[in-house]
Amino acid sequence: MHYKSTRDPGLRLRASQVIAQGISEEGGLFVPENLPRVAEKLPAWQGMDYRALAKVVFGEFLTDFSPEEISRCVENAYAPDKFGGGEPVKLSPLPKEDGNKYLVELWHGPTCAFKDMALQILPHFLTESLRKSAEGQEAVILVATSGDTGKAALAGFQDVPGTRILVFYPRDGVSPMQKRQMATQEGRNVGVCAIEGNFDDAQTAVKSIFTDPAMKRALAEKGMMFSSANSINWGRLLPQIVYYFYSYLELCRMGRISLGDAVNIVVPTGNFGNILAAYYASCMGLPVKKFICASNRNKVLTDFIRTGVYDRRREFYATSSPSMDILISSNLERLLYALSGEDSQVLSGWMKDLSEKGVYDVGPEVREKVQALFYGGFCDDEATAQALRRSWEQDGYLCDTHTAVALDVYRQYVADTGDGGTPALIASTASPYKFVGHVLGALEPGHGEDEFADLHRLEALTHTCAPQQLVSLQGKEPRFTEVVGKGQTAGYVRRALGLA
Ligand SMILES: *Cc1c(COP(=O)(O)O)cnc(C)c1O
């Protein structure tokens, strides 16, 4: 299989090249030339455990990796002890006996958010890729994070030979627990820096460092190259395709659906990576009726799905679901590439409009295609807290704030369409303990002072256990405390890497 760029259809690269490079030189995103059709393989896939399924799905895409290499990546990344034992993804039916809502728990990994599903394996993909396509080069991973990617990437890349990782996060845009997780990160090859700005500022800064020719030259002189662990990297998206097949096949195994029945997929969305992976799975043959795209108060995607106009010229809100506080959803570019009939020219025009005017309009034809596939909805912090409380009180399911946004938008979808009968797979994207202040605040007013006091109170109140990875952060000294202005990120990178 070969890959091309959304903005340059002339490119023809191997999987190892696109994973090593991260983003295409002209600023486009890498996409497979064709998505493999796997519908007739699903009966055979039904009997597989997560790791076996991951290997066959990766085999479809990583055609320049040997089966042994793929197997090594998978076994290392999804070792049972890294994901709380058993299968890395756990399905929780709601209500337990006869409901047709299923929470797909994707947060049992080392950093308690779904990002681990991809970031535990990306370093293995990347080191194999570097061996194939950039022998001897050191990969410098630059990450812009709204909170969860940063920690998951740090955990995945910590002390991985041949790699260095630098993470930028918005100083006031992450939860106290997220900040603590990143600031205490161990490892010889890691750096963490807060920026004065929001996630979009961090992402824009990182993208411009990536594409700066002078920086690239300075790096090359030191035998280094940039790569990305953000979901613009194909190696991040690919692992996310697996769990949609897995959870669908799990429903078949549980006897809740028959092979071929359509499901709805509900995803709390920020950068549009997770929901895009679901879309790719459906293009490959997974039967999906509707993709339900759930946003918080930063509802640029809801508006886009409803109007066909993507307009980032609006106020940015810091919400109780900070990992979705995003106004530029990078991966939408991949969807629009597909829905525009792979028209690079038209797509490049939209992306140019976005960066120059802050807005683009895809027109009625593409808008209708988007609407046929996606339902967009949003909720504010108040409704998020209500949904969280409802989930706990009515269904006995304690969820985090991002998952609560998904639950609320799904409720709106059912109210709007009457389609409560189609089984729904709802992505549960983080442990409630990762956003413990807001989660506890939704159940019981008057908290949010100290995250560990909150954590112990939430345990006592709900008779649930906080993940050990979070409990053990208590009392750990922060190692990284640097804050830079949003124009100073390039300087930080030069200093951290010892460049001229
Ligand atoms: C990153 C994240 C999201 C959003 O996922 P995207 O792929 O960026 O759309 C949702 N919930 C949590 C907890 C996250 O960390």
Side-chain angles (χ1 to χ4, degrees):
M1 175 181 291
H2 287 89
Y3 295 78
K4 56 194 170 181
S5 160
T6 51
R7 300 189 204 174
D8 181 358
L11 286 179
R12 205 155 183 271
L13 302 181
R14 305 297 260 168
S16 60
Q17 294 172 300
V18 311
I19 291 172
Q21 227 176 293
I23 186 169
S24 190
E25 279 183 2
E26 77 300 329
L29 305 183
F30 292 120
V31 288
E33 252 175 8
N34 294 296
L35 287 167
R37 308 287 313 178
V38 300
E40 41 326 322
K41 299 182 182 172
L42 292 185
W45 288 6
Q46 210 179 327
M48 294 181 179
D49 67 12
Y50 196 89
R51 283 170 277 275
L53 182 66
K55 289 174 199 172
V56 294
V57 173
F58 296 156
E60 300 279 343
F61 289 94
L62 305 178
T63 49
D64 58 338
F65 284 53
S66 71
E68 294 70 30
E69 287 166 340
I70 291 177
S71 180
R72 192 159 63 224
C73 291
V74 168
E75 295 297 335
N76 282 324
Y78 300 128
D81 61 319
K82 289 189 175 166
F83 284 85
E87 296 285 41
V89 169
K90 298 171 189 16
L91 222 63
S92 210
L94 280 190
K96 295 208 166 44
E97 297 73 34
D98 56 359
N100 57 359
K101 283 192 284 190
Y102 302 86
L103 284 154
V104 184
E105 292 182 353
L106 302 168
W107 45 264
H108 292 281
T111 75
C112 310
F114 89 92
K115 307 286 199 294
D116 287 326
M117 295 305 301
L119 283 163
Q120 280 297 307
I121 198 158
L122 180 65
H124 299 290
F125 283 163
L126 185 69
T127 42
E128 297 286 355
S129 296
L130 289 173
R131 259 197 325 103
K132 289 175 196 300
S133 66
E135 184 73 85
Q137 295 237 56
E138 189 173 26
V140 178
I141 318 297
L142 287 189
V143 181
T145 184
S146 57
D148 288 334
T149 293
K151 179 60 186 182
L154 289 163
F157 280 97
Q158 175 185 346
D159 292 327
V160 171
T163 71
R164 297 224 210 168
I165 174 164
L166 299 175
V167 170
F168 295 97
Y169 72 88
R171 183 184 59 186
D172 304 317
V174 301
S175 81
M177 193 67 91
Q178 289 177 312
K179 188 177 284 191
R180 193 178 283 263
Q181 280 185 306
M182 289 187 278
T184 56
Q185 177 64 41
E186 293 169 12
R188 287 182 306 278
N189 61 340
V190 308
V192 177
C193 181
I195 72 161
E196 292 163 351
N198 60 33
F199 170 73
D200 292 312
D201 297 323
Q203 180 161 256
T204 305
V206 162
K207 272 194 190 167
S208 78
I209 295 172
F210 258 116
T211 43
D212 175 1
M215 187 70 105
K216 210 171 153 180
R217 270 196 307 277
L219 223 55
E221 279 168 20
K222 295 213 123 196
M224 298 174 179
M225 64 184 279
F226 280 132
S227 189
S228 166
N230 279 98
S231 56
I232 51 177
N233 192 322
W234 177 249
R236 266 285 297 276
L237 281 179
L238 176 56
Q240 302 186 342
I241 294 175
V242 177
Y243 49 71
Y244 291 107
F245 281 105
Y246 175 80
S247 44
Y248 180 89
L249 294 172
E250 194 63 15
L251 286 192
C252 296
R253 277 192 289 267
M254 290 160 71
R256 301 289 183 117
I257 59 170
S258 307
L259 211 54
D261 291 351
V263 296
N264 288 323
I265 293 184
V266 189
V267 185
T269 298
N271 221 3
F272 210 76
N274 204 5
I275 198 166
L276 181 75
Y279 168 74
Y280 282 149
S282 84
C283 296
M284 294 166 66
L286 189 76
V288 179
K289 183 169 178 192
K290 207 83 178 180
F291 302 91
I292 297 160
C293 175
S295 301
N296 63 25
R297 197 173 168 205
N298 296 296
K299 63 181 182 63
V300 63
L301 285 168
T302 309
D303 293 341
F304 171 71
I305 292 168
R306 292 182 182 171
T307 64
V309 177
Y310 193 99
D311 190 347
R312 57 163 295 205
R313 300 168 303 176
R314 59 179 72 209
E315 198 174 335
F316 176 92
Y317 301 105
T319 73
S320 62
S321 45
S323 301
M324 296 158 34
D325 289 346
I326 291 176
L327 293 180
I328 305 171
S329 297
S330 300
N331 273 299
L332 190 62
E333 174 165 347
R334 286 184 163 112
L335 178 76
L336 295 179
Y337 179 68
L339 298 186
S340 67
E342 309 207 331
D343 190 330
S344 292
Q345 238 175 339
V346 169
L347 182 86
S348 300
W350 293 334
M351 294 304 131
K352 190 158 169 271
D353 283 352
L354 181 64
S355 69
E356 288 172 7
K357 301 180 199 142
V359 59
Y360 61 88
D361 182 345
V362 298
E365 204 178 311
V366 170
R367 184 191 70 220
E368 279 161 27
K369 285 188 196 168
V370 170
Q371 289 172 344
L373 293 162
F374 291 84
Y375 173 91
F378 76 101
C379 70
D380 64 12
D381 281 2
E382 178 63 37
T384 304
Q386 245 175 46
L388 203 154
R389 195 158 55 238
R390 215 169 26 236
S391 170
W392 173 243
E393 286 169 2
Q394 291 175 15
D395 291 332
Y397 187 83
L398 184 66
C399 68
D400 95 296
T401 44
H402 303 75
T403 310
V405 169
L407 288 173
D408 192 63
V409 171
Y410 177 65
R411 183 190 58 75
Q412 296 174 31
Y413 166 79
V414 172
D416 264 11
T417 61
D419 180 28
T422 306
L425 291 170
I426 302 172
S428 177
T429 51
S431 159
Y433 284 93
K434 200 158 185 181
F435 301 94
V436 64
H438 289 294
V439 170
L440 184 61
L443 301 182
E444 194 177 71
H447 294 282
E449 284 302 301
D450 175 285
E451 64 263 38
F452 292 101
D454 288 353
L455 180 149
H456 296 302
R457 175 63 194 145
L458 188 62
E459 285 188 312
L461 183 70
T462 59
H463 304 289
T464 58
C465 270
Q468 198 47 42
Q469 307 92 292
L470 299 181
V471 177
S472 66
L473 293 175
Q474 188 163 15
K476 205 167 171 186
E477 269 308 302
R479 194 181 156 204
F480 299 103
T481 51
E482 191 163 347
V483 184
V484 302
K486 56 185 166 185
Q488 296 163 343
T489 44
Y492 175 86
V493 169
R494 285 180 177 274
R495 276 200 312 285
L497 300 177
L499 305 181

